[in-house]
Amino acid sequence: MSLQKEDVEKIAHLARLAIDEADIPDYARNLSSIFRLIEEMDAVDTGAVTPMAHPLDMPQRLRDDAVSEENQREHFQQIAPQVENGLYLVPQVIE
Amino acid sequence: MYHHKTIAELSRGLAAGEYTSEQLTRHFLQRIEEHGAALNCFITVTAAEALAQAREADQRRARGEAGPLTGIPMVHKDIFCTDGVKTSCGSKMLDNFIAPYDATVVHKLKDAGMPMLGKTNMDEFAMGSSNETSFYGPVKNPWNTDTVPGGSSGGSAAVVAARLAPFATGTDTGGSIRQPAALCGITGLKPTYGRVSRFGMIAFASSLDQGGPMTGNAEDAALVLNVMAGFDARDSTSAEREVPDYSAGLARPLDGLRIGLPREYFGAGLNAEVAKVIEIAIEQYKQLGAEVIEISLPNSKLSVPTYYVVAPAECSSNLSRFDGVRFGYRCEAPKDLDDLYKRSRGEGFGAEVKRRIMIGTYALSAGYYDAYYLQAQKMRHLISDDFKQAFKNVDVVMGPTAPDVAFGLGAKSDDPVSMYLSDIYTIAANLAGLPGMSIPAGFVNEMPVGLQLIGNYFDEVRLLNVAHKYQQATDWHMRLPDAYA
C-alpha cells in the first residue's frame, strides 16, 4: 500500500495531530513501508481463526459499586495547564 | 566495592551490620554523579529523597523490621508514576508532569524499604528499540558509548550494566526489557501478562504491557519479583493468582529439563557470530543435564507485522488522553479547541510516537478495521497456539534475544522498519502473554549477547531456575565494562 499526502493529512486529522507540511512526505514514505510490512499478514488464511483480544483466558472482573476513591480535585488540578474556580479552562467553544 | 555485589549479597551485608543503607545509597549516588550524565541514563536523580529513604530504612532495620530488600537502592524507569516526582515517560508531553500518586509497583518497592535513586531515560512512551526516541536524547551503551543500549528500557539497562544501581524496573511491550538487557549484558525478566500490576505504569499497549525487573543476575531478579508480583484490584487485567517464592525454586537441578529450540529463531537475519554464542550456551545447558528438542513456531515470522497493528491500535487509543487540557503539555495561544488538541499533541509528541498513533488510527478507521486489526487479532491467536503446542513437549523455549549485538547510534533511526525488526525474537512472547527472560551468554566483538528464555504461563519459577543454574556455571553475567568496573 502506498499512502498519499491527502491520506496522511486525513489520518493526522483523525488523530488530532498537527504535523508540519514539510514532514508529510516523510510520514507518507515511512507509513507506507510500515503498512507493506503489516500486509505480510495477508499471506495467512485466517478464515476459521477466532480473534484473540487478550492473552489471558479470563472474564472481566466485577466489583461492588462502592466508592473507592476520595475527591482529590485540588491535588490533581495543581498540574493542570489552566484552571479557574475548580474548572479546567479551554478556548471558548460556544459563541 | 558495593557495586560489585549482588542484591542478595548486599542484603546479607546489611543484615549483618557490615554497612548501612545510607552508605550504600551514597556510594551509588556518587557513581551516578560520575557516570550518569555521560551515559545520559537518567531523566531525574532524586538524591535527597533517596538519602532520606535510606536513613528511614536504617531506622527500620534498627527496630528489627527490615525485609530482604530494605535499604537496597534502586531506580525506576520513568514510565512508573512516582508521587511528587516528575514522571516524563521520555516525552516533551509529560516534561512538566509531577505524578500525583504512586504506581502499585513503586508503592510496593517503597514499602519494602528500597530507596529510589532516580528515574531512568527511555524511548518516548516506550516506543523504540534504541532509546533514541527519548525527548531527553539517547542513552549510551556502557560497553561502547558509540552504540545504543537498546530500548525502550535503555536507561534502566545502562544503569544496571554500569552498576549505577543494583536493580532497575523496566517495562516490556514488545521486548523493551529483554532486548536492552541483551544489548547491555544484564538479566531482564518480562513476567507473564498480568503478573505485575500495570496500575500507574503509563499505558502504551494495554494488552501487551508488562513491568519487570532488570538486575545483574537471576537470583536478584527472583528477590525483587517476590515483591513486584501480585494481584492488584486497581488493574483490571491483574492475575488473581498467588505469588510463589521465586527464590525457593532457584537451585532445582536441570536434569531432564526439555529445551525447545525454534528453528525459525536461527534462520536468515541472525548474525552468525551471535548464533555461535547461543549454540555454545545451549551446549552448556546439555552439560547441565538438559535435553534439546527442535520445535517450530511457524507463525512467529509474522509476529512483527501482527504487533505493528495491535500495539499502535492500542497506543492510538491510550494516547488520546493527552489532549493539553488536564495535565501535560499545552501549546501556546490556541485559537480554538481543535487547535489546542492538534498543536498540543503535534508539538508534545515526537516523530515515532506520532507515526505509531497514525498507524493505529488508520488500522482502526472505518473500512480498514477487518483487514488490519481483526486480521492481527487472528494472527495473535495463531502465534499463541504455536507456543501452546510447543509447551506440550518442552519446559522452556530458547534462542537469541536479538538478531545482533548493539548497533551504532543513528544507524537505524531513519528506517523504522529495520528498527522494528530488532524485536523479531521478543515480540511473540508479548502477543502470547508468556514470560520471557534475557541473560548474558557471551560476547561478539566485545559486545554482549543475550540468550532468551521463554517459559509457560506463570512459570517464572522455572524460568528463573533455568537462568540461575546457567549463571552458577558461567560468569558472563559478572563481566563489567572496564570504565565502570
Side-chain angles (χ1 to χ4, degrees):
Chain A
M1 187 184 66
S2 185
L3 289 171
Q4 306 304 313
K5 180 171 181 282
E6 306 74 58
D7 300 316
V8 173
E9 284 168 343
K10 184 173 176 224
I11 302 168
H13 168 70
L14 288 173
R16 297 298 183 272
L17 286 171
I19 54 174
D20 282 344
E21 185 79 20
D23 293 337
I24 291 180
D26 269 355
Y27 278 114
R29 186 172 47 83
N30 284 325
L31 293 175
S32 297
S33 71
I34 294 164
F35 275 102
R36 276 194 292 277
L37 171 78
I38 287 171
E39 282 159 5
E40 289 176 18
M41 293 191 308
D42 297 349
V44 182
D45 177 5
T46 53
V49 184
T50 52
M52 173 174 158
H54 194 278
L56 299 180
D57 190 19
M58 64 178 211
Q60 182 62 52
R61 215 172 50 239
L62 300 175
R63 64 167 175 84
D64 290 339
D65 185 17
V67 177
S68 60
E69 300 294 322
E70 55 194 80
N71 183 7
Q72 302 185 62
R73 187 170 69 178
E74 284 75 24
H75 183 46
F76 292 151
Q77 287 193 336
Q78 280 172 8
I79 51 171
Q82 217 183 345
V83 287
E84 198 177 290
N85 301 326
L87 303 172
Y88 293 96
L89 293 192
V90 295
Q92 190 172 349
V93 178
I94 301 164
E95 294 297 325
Chain B
M1 291 307 280
Y2 301 139
H3 62 275
H4 292 147
K5 294 184 190 297
T6 65
I7 295 177
E9 287 165 351
L10 291 172
S11 178
R12 286 194 288 272
L14 283 166
E18 290 166 25
Y19 35 80
T20 63
S21 174
E22 189 174 345
Q23 282 172 298
L24 289 186
T25 303
R26 283 191 192 281
H27 176 76
F28 284 107
L29 284 170
Q30 176 65 35
R31 287 184 66 75
I32 291 169
E33 197 167 316
E34 273 169 44
H35 303 293
L39 292 171
N40 196 29
C41 50
F42 279 91
I43 290 173
T44 305
V45 177
T46 50
E49 293 92 330
L51 285 168
Q53 287 168 351
R55 285 189 281 266
E56 210 172 290
D58 287 330
Q59 285 160 13
R60 181 167 160 183
R61 186 170 300 282
R63 291 195 303 271
E65 292 164 8
L69 298 178
T70 305
I72 294 169
M74 58 82 59
V75 299
H76 278 295
K77 183 177 182 179
D78 209 22
I79 198 169
F80 287 97
C81 285
T82 41
D83 193 6
V85 176
K86 172 168 150 177
T87 301
S88 74
C89 222
S91 182
K92 179 180 177 185
M93 182 60 87
L94 291 177
D95 183 49
N96 63 1
F97 179 66
I98 309 293
Y101 65 96
D102 276 334
T104 296
V105 164
V106 171
H107 175 76
K108 283 180 163 210
L109 294 169
K110 211 184 250 183
D111 259 10
M114 301 190 88
M116 180 185 80
L117 303 168
K119 309 283 301 283
T120 61
N121 200 349
M122 56 180 284
D123 277 302
E124 184 179 8
F125 285 102
M127 297 174 198
S129 308
S130 68
N131 229 289
E132 294 167 300
T133 73
S134 170
F135 173 61
Y136 302 92
V139 174
K140 315 284 172 63
N141 189 318
W143 289 94
N144 175 350
T145 51
D146 293 329
T147 65
V148 303
S152 68
S153 312
S156 286
V159 162
V160 175
R163 298 297 193 265
L164 308 188
F167 157 49
T169 54
T171 61
D172 190 315
T173 304
S176 281
I177 287 176
R178 291 161 289 158
Q179 185 256 13
L183 270 44
C184 289
I186 64 159
T187 298
L189 166 64
K190 178 200 96 73
T192 308
Y193 179 79
R195 181 74 290 189
V196 168
S197 168
R198 292 186 295 109
F199 179 77
M201 192 177 104
I202 296 171
F204 160 14
S206 303
S207 79
L208 303 164
D209 295 343
Q210 182 59 205
M214 303 177 81
T215 54
N217 67 20
E219 185 185 17
D220 287 357
L223 274 172
V224 292
L225 188 63
N226 281 335
V227 174
M228 290 175 79
F231 174 68
D232 181 8
R234 293 176 137 175
D235 170 359
S236 67
T237 61
S238 176
E240 288 188 82
R241 290 172 71 111
E242 256 183 71
V243 179
D245 181 347
Y246 295 109
S247 303
L250 290 174
R252 179 176 166 187
L254 298 188
D255 297 308
L257 175 79
R258 297 167 305 167
I259 298 174
L261 295 187
R263 66 177 76 95
E264 293 82 3
Y265 282 29
F266 293 87
L270 176 62
N271 173 326
E273 298 294 313
V274 170
K276 216 176 284 172
V277 167
I278 300 302
E279 280 158 24
I280 294 168
I282 303 293
E283 273 310 309
Q284 185 92 39
Y285 269 106
K286 283 190 196 163
Q287 285 166 27
L288 292 169
E291 174 195 349
V292 171
I293 301 166
E294 189 178 311
I295 60 165
S296 177
L297 302 170
N299 294 292
S300 66
K301 61 180 186 299
L302 291 170
S303 58
V304 176
T306 302
Y307 177 87
Y308 277 96
V309 174
V310 174
E314 294 185 13
C315 120
S316 73
S317 168
N318 270 323
L319 270 59
S320 63
R321 77 192 61 186
F322 300 104
D323 58 3
V325 174
R326 289 148 304 145
F327 57 89
Y329 177 81
R330 173 184 283 203
C331 66
E332 292 288 333
K335 292 200 302 281
D336 52 33
L337 192 57
D338 208 43
D339 185 46
L340 181 144
Y341 291 150
K342 284 185 172 172
R343 278 202 294 123
S344 297
R345 291 165 60 77
E347 294 164 16
F349 293 135
E352 178 62 19
V353 171
K354 280 187 270 203
R355 259 199 299 270
R356 297 212 196 179
I357 291 174
M358 288 199 271
I359 300 166
T361 303
Y362 190 69
L364 291 174
S365 63
Y368 297 98
Y369 180 89
D370 285 5
Y372 294 119
Y373 194 61
L374 200 65
Q375 175 72 357
Q377 286 190 311
K378 289 175 171 183
M379 285 306 306
R380 192 171 179 182
H381 216 152
L382 293 174
I383 290 163
S384 178
D385 283 348
D386 284 354
F387 280 105
K388 283 192 181 125
Q389 195 60 38
F391 281 118
K392 284 180 185 165
N393 303 310
V394 304
D395 304 303
V396 60
V397 171
M398 283 191 197
T401 306
D404 211 334
V405 293
F407 46 90
L409 284 158
K412 297 187 181 184
S413 26
D414 292 335
D415 183 0
V417 167
S418 98
M419 185 74 87
Y420 296 172
L421 292 171
S422 351
D423 291 331
I424 189 158
Y425 303 130
T426 48
I427 278 176
N430 298 81
L431 290 168
L434 294 164
M437 272 187 97
S438 181
I439 57 174
F443 291 82
V444 168
N445 299 330
E446 295 171 33
M447 294 304 286
V449 173
L451 171 71
Q452 182 175 215
L453 324 174
I454 300 173
N456 212 338
Y457 294 100
F458 297 101
D459 205 8
E460 286 84 359
V461 169
R462 191 62 166 152
L463 213 48
L464 286 159
N465 158 236
V466 171
H468 177 69
K469 294 302 281 186
Y470 177 78
Q471 292 182 335
Q472 295 266 287
T474 58
D475 70 352
W476 304 115
H477 62 290
M478 295 169 77
R479 310 273 179 102
L480 294 183
D482 288 340
Y484 310 93

